[in-house]
Amino acid sequence: MRLIIMGPPGAGKGTQAKFIAEHFKIPAISTGDIFRANVSEGTPLGLEAKRYMDAGEYVPDEVTNLMVRNRIDEPDAVSGFLLDGYPRTLAQVEELDGMINFTGHRLDAVVCLTVDQDEIVGRLLQRAQVEGRADDTEDVIRRRQEVYLEQTEPLIEVYKQRGIVVEIDGMGEVSDVTSRIFEALDQTPES
Ligand code: ADP
């Protein structure tokens, strides 16, 4: 199973990604988490990424693409994976197509979480208090939302044209959202 989970910042991608990954026994690969791990370890990748992340901007495609390529080449991702936070740009979509085609596989589904914008700012500000993420201040959240609308939302249309988008209402209880996702994915072929 090769899946992508998409949605605006704060839509609950990371939370749902864990449940989906467990269910299908595939790794959840979060580019945001990998960047954050590198930032806290002070690696060169982390130092590079931090400049962009703190401003709410995207890390350059070359950097992100290489990181994802290396990650999905690892043994645990050979039989499938769930990507959270990637692709976020059209160039990343093309890069991912190349990576998947090269192995003779295909993308099974793109789960898109839809949420209410106002609800999201509240959720993110709350997360800032709990997790202390440097990019969860109100200004940076707004910038991340703008960047998402400009660069990432258009990707949904690209995947819709391929007929693999599964749209899920991301509002309400976490467990309800999870049930909606499983119900929708169980109807896709090869699940
Ligand atoms: P969010 O909660 O906003 O969805 P993430 O935790 O997924 O955020 O990512 C945090 C930050 O990491 C992003 O704002 C961006 O700077 C960087 N990042 C994550 N994934 C990508 C990507 N695919 N391309 C470029 N930058 C990325």
Side-chain angles (χ1 to χ4, degrees), residues 99-189:
M99 294 182 217
I100 296 180
N101 290 341
F102 184 76
T103 61
H105 295 104
R106 66 184 170 82
L107 208 50
D108 295 286
V110 178
V111 175
C112 291
L113 293 180
T114 57
V115 282
D116 182 284
Q117 285 294 107
D118 296 335
E119 164 95 350
I120 284 185
V121 179
R123 274 193 200 177
L124 287 170
L125 288 172
Q126 204 187 341
R127 181 171 78 185
Q129 287 180 337
V130 180
E131 294 178 13
R133 270 179 52 165
D135 61 348
D136 275 346
T137 63
E138 195 157 351
D139 283 352
V140 179
I141 291 169
R142 290 251 148 76
R143 180 62 195 145
R144 277 160 54 209
Q145 288 182 323
E146 268 172 28
V147 175
Y148 173 83
L149 287 178
E150 266 166 34
Q151 301 200 42
T152 304
E153 206 192 45
L155 308 188
I156 297 176
E157 199 46 52
V158 172
Y159 287 125
K160 269 190 182 160
Q161 282 171 10
R162 298 187 195 176
I164 54 172
V165 169
V166 172
E167 244 168 340
I168 306 288
D169 175 7
M171 303 300 291
E173 294 293 323
V174 169
S175 59
D176 290 341
V177 178
T178 310
S179 309
R180 285 175 209 142
I181 295 175
F182 288 165
E183 230 167 84
L185 284 179
D186 284 342
Q187 286 160 15
T188 63

Side-chain angles (χ1 to χ4, degrees), residues 7-10 13 30-33 35-36 49 52-54 56-61 64 84-89 92 124 127 133 135-136 144:
K13 298 187 295 289
S30 156
T31 45
D33 284 352
F35 282 135
R36 277 185 290 278
Y52 299 96
M53 293 169 77
D54 285 353
E57 304 295 334
Y58 286 166
V59 176
D61 284 335
T64 312
D84 162 13
Y86 184 91
R88 267 182 155 102
T89 64
Q92 292 179 10
L124 287 170
R127 181 171 78 185
R133 270 179 52 165
D135 61 348
D136 275 346
R144 277 160 54 209

